Amino acid sequence: MKKTLIALTALTLLGGCQLTKSPTGRTQALMYSNADMSNLGAQSFDEMKKKEKIVTDPRVNNYVGCIANAITASVDNSYGVNEWEVIVFDSPQINAFALPGGHIGVYTGLMNVAKNADQLAAVMGHEVGHVLANHSNERLSRNKFTSMGMQVANGAFDLAGIENKKIYMQGLGLGAQYGVAMPFGRKQESESDKIGLDLMAKAGFKPEASVSLWQAMAKASGGNQPMEFLSTHPSNERRINDLTKNMSAANALYTQAVSAGKRPNCKL
């Protein structure tokens, strides 16, 4: 009987899957709608804004907003985001994130490592790439399938009432303690690197800055990064090598953008 129930549950979950392709052509099985993910992203971001210290300096906000607007300008309307909300959080963490529904968070600590707009665009493009590739949906769908006994979530995703809040927050790439980002899988991270590289190039930011950014990130880590097979992130060396392989195509996009007059003047 137990095996039969598990099989029926598996079939039910599979029946709710939608097979789709990521922007790089990778097949994904997604169990949640765009509306569901947008609701979850919006609720999560609202909670973060209540708990995290927000930067109010207009100079900083204009700088980060300028980069975000340039990056997201080329995002197709089919993703259902008409306007991206951008918030700078006052925190020493060297991090940033983007959530479904069009929400971007940047920590001031990152701005101490990303020394210019091109480098910051590399990180923000990468994070937006996670959203465009439905990585949160993909991870939540995998979590839902592998944990057969998990309560089926309602479309509204009432974060105040669900028992498995931690699972949903991790699916979005957020830790139980807000501000602590949970890494996506290595395959997803590498995919976002490629998408982000193209996004920044199309926006008129120098693609080579992505390499110098990750070199700076490696230096900031103080050599404490775990070996690649022990980490869900690609190693800094692997990441830089992959970016370098895709640099020629990105530079072609950058040249087209500059020829079209796209070279954002984002200054702090």
Side-chain angles (χ1 to χ4, degrees), residues 36 38-39 45 55 60 73 78 88 157 164 186-187 232 256:
D36 285 338
S38 292
N39 287 336
F45 203 56
V55 173
V60 174
S78 63
V88 182
F157 287 97
N164 298 289
R186 277 180 287 177
K187 185 180 295 184
T232 54
Q256 292 174 10

Side-chain angles (χ1 to χ4, degrees), residues 149-169:
M150 188 173 74
Q151 179 182 356
V152 177
N154 292 323
F157 287 97
D158 182 5
L159 291 181
I162 63 175
E163 182 179 358
N164 298 289
K165 178 177 178 179
K166 183 177 180 180
I167 295 175
Y168 291 106
M169 300 306 291

Side-chain angles (χ1 to χ4, degrees), residues 69-102:
N69 290 338
I71 289 289
T72 57
S74 62
V75 174
D76 192 272
N77 291 333
S78 63
Y79 289 99
V81 180
N82 297 320
E83 184 177 357
W84 291 75
E85 180 183 12
V86 184
I87 298 292
V88 182
F89 295 102
D90 188 358
S91 168
Q93 292 184 78
I94 305 172
N95 219 330
F97 64 90
L99 298 178

